Amino acid sequence: MKRIPASGHSADATPGRRDILRTAGAGLAAGVASVGLAAPAIAQNAPQVRWRLTSSVPKVLDAIFGANELVSKYVSEATEGRFVIQNYAAGEIVPGLQALDAVQNGTVEVAQTPLYYYLGKDPSFACFTTMPFGLNARQQNAWFYHGGGRELQDEFLAKYNLVGFLGGNTGTQMGGWFRKEVKDLADFKGLKFRIGGIAGQVVAKLGVVPQQIAPGDIYAALEKGTIDACEWVGPYDDEKLGFVRVAPYYYYPGWWDGGPTMNVVVNRSKWNDLPKAYQAIFEAAVAYANADMLAKYDAYNPAALRRLVAAGAQLKPFPQSFLDAAWTASNELVAEIGAKNAGFKKIMDSLIAFRNEEYLWWQVGEYPYDGYMIRARSRG
């Protein structure tokens, strides 16, 4: 299937550009009419399309769910209301963890969901959201658009009657909320930790007991002591869920979520039926939402972190012994899965090679600058 190149800019264009296009269209129609020909009714002949989008998150997570509203806004405006996408939060049509299945079977046309929720079908799904010690947000975009990631995703998702896009990113997440302080690797053994997916399999190698709990149930489990710790996203979203009230130790970094993508998946048959112009508009709108979500988290997280600390959060780095053991266990797990799953190995070989090259550059360019700015800020 021929794909239309994505852009990091909004597809609806600026108001000035829309005015120019409309003026040009009116002028063309007038010119045609003046020579006795019928004006082509381009917009009038554009089909009416109604899609439904289901998300894996509740509306309270506005930075994530708001991306869907941006896509709907720009798609509708660019088509003058002829292509409309109606958004639904987790649980309104299907539970959040069934969003991809709803698209695959045609219940809805599109879903916003992290693909790593579905690694039970195939661990390869996780590669297109994030992997432990994987790519950060910028690198995830770079791999997808210019490092072969998109082609690998297209090949993989075709088996599930899906087309996929990058629909947002939270940036590197926090390591999570702990009821008790963890000082070394031994403190993690037997700890009941709400953490799922590939990361859950990694920490299980270290003696942690991973728990998969839906977002709406995490707080109650943490408050009752059913779990000892949880990870979610970062300050802006974690503040909304109130974890600081029951688990004051706030650890970093979330090495399993270095650049977690919020994926957008479309039913492939519905996508192929969509007019090419609508495909271009949809893809450009999703690309804008992808950039906007990361910008929101970068803008909102600092103030949220200050509020959490004021509310009693105690910021702690993960013990080095835990990070080192997790790095080793993660590499072992990737090798084990790859030995059994050739498709997973093919994707991970591409991702790891790209990651290693990226960090050669970051060591020279990004890190020295960031390190200097941190030191300069501390000096005032």
Side-chain angles (χ1 to χ4, degrees):
M1 180 181 64
K2 183 177 180 181
R3 303 295 301 276
I4 301 171
S7 167
H9 302 286
S10 172
D12 72 334
T14 63
R17 186 183 297 177
R18 287 199 298 271
D19 292 342
I20 291 170
L21 291 173
R22 292 187 183 115
T23 301
L28 175 61
V32 171
S34 69
V35 294
L37 299 176
I42 298 174
Q44 292 83 347
N45 289 337
Q48 292 279 354
V49 176
R50 296 290 183 270
W51 276 10
R52 297 196 300 172
L53 181 154
T54 186
S55 177
S56 284
V57 304
K59 292 180 181 177
V60 67
L61 300 178
D62 58 291
I64 296 177
F65 193 83
N68 304 324
E69 296 167 336
L70 277 179
V71 171
S72 297
K73 166 183 165 63
Y74 290 136
V75 164
S76 178
E77 288 183 358
T79 61
E80 298 186 335
R82 292 183 174 273
F83 183 9
V84 175
I85 301 173
Q86 189 168 358
N87 297 304
Y88 296 88
E92 292 183 339
I93 296 180
V94 295
L97 299 182
Q98 296 176 21
L100 180 139
D101 303 88
V103 177
Q104 190 179 357
N105 62 33
T107 301
V108 298
E109 290 79 14
V110 56
Q112 178 206 50
T113 183
L115 287 178
Y116 66 3
Y117 282 177
Y118 310 98
L119 62 87
K121 299 175 182 290
D122 188 318
S124 303
F125 274 105
C127 305
F128 302 112
T129 297
T130 190
M131 289 292 292
F133 300 102
L135 304 171
N136 67 23
R138 281 173 53 187
Q139 293 165 357
Q140 192 83 4
N141 285 339
W143 177 62
F144 183 83
Y145 288 122
H146 301 291
R150 181 176 201 157
E151 291 75 16
L152 290 167
Q153 180 177 274
D154 282 348
E155 178 184 356
F156 174 72
L157 290 182
K159 297 183 291 185
Y160 295 88
N161 191 35
L162 299 170
V163 179
F165 307 89
L166 302 185
N169 205 299
T170 67
T172 303
Q173 296 184 359
M174 290 292 285
W177 298 88
F178 288 68
R179 289 164 57 90
K180 297 181 180 180
E181 190 174 1
V182 285
K183 298 180 180 180
D184 56 39
L185 181 59
D187 290 338
F188 288 85
K189 295 189 183 300
L191 187 135
K192 298 187 290 295
F193 188 13
R194 187 274 175 192
I195 182 172
I198 294 286
Q201 297 176 35
V202 172
V203 296
K205 285 177 167 284
L206 308 181
V208 173
V209 183
Q211 307 286 310
Q212 182 80 314
I213 301 174
D217 300 324
I218 299 173
Y219 181 89
L222 202 58
E223 184 180 35
K224 294 175 183 177
T226 306
I227 57 175
D228 304 304
C230 74
E231 59 84 26
W232 182 234
V233 176
Y236 183 66
D237 285 343
D238 291 0
E239 182 184 31
K240 292 181 173 66
L241 299 183
F243 299 136
V244 67
R245 296 194 294 269
V246 290
Y249 298 100
Y250 200 19
Y251 280 87
Y252 61 89
W255 47 264
W256 50 85
D257 279 331
T261 297
M262 183 58 68
N263 306 99
V264 171
V265 290
V266 178
N267 181 284
R268 184 171 287 262
S269 301
K270 294 292 185 181
W271 177 257
N272 289 338
D273 290 342
L274 204 61
K276 295 297 183 183
Y278 285 11
Q279 288 182 353
I281 290 166
F282 177 87
E283 188 163 358
V286 172
Y288 178 85
N290 179 50
D292 184 73
M293 186 188 297
L294 182 60
K296 282 180 178 175
Y297 277 109
D298 283 344
Y300 299 161
N301 274 332
L305 183 58
R306 287 184 179 276
R307 292 192 296 268
L308 287 169
V309 170
Q314 298 185 45
L315 289 177
K316 300 280 185 180
F318 275 132
Q320 191 64 43
S321 58
F322 175 62
L323 292 174
D324 291 343
W327 168 266
T328 299
S330 177
N331 290 334
E332 289 174 353
L333 182 65
V334 167
E336 290 166 5
I337 298 173
K340 301 174 184 177
N341 186 321
F344 175 87
K345 184 178 186 304
K346 177 181 177 181
I347 297 166
M348 284 304 300
D349 284 349
S350 169
L351 190 152
I352 291 171
F354 192 84
R355 179 197 68 187
N356 292 343
E357 281 294 296
E358 285 291 289
Y359 278 109
L360 282 175
W361 153 242
W362 281 60
Q363 186 176 0
V364 174
E366 298 289 342
Y367 283 163
Y369 176 76
D370 289 344
Y372 176 81
M373 291 303 296
I374 290 171
R375 294 190 298 273
R377 176 186 172 278
S378 67
R379 293 195 302 268

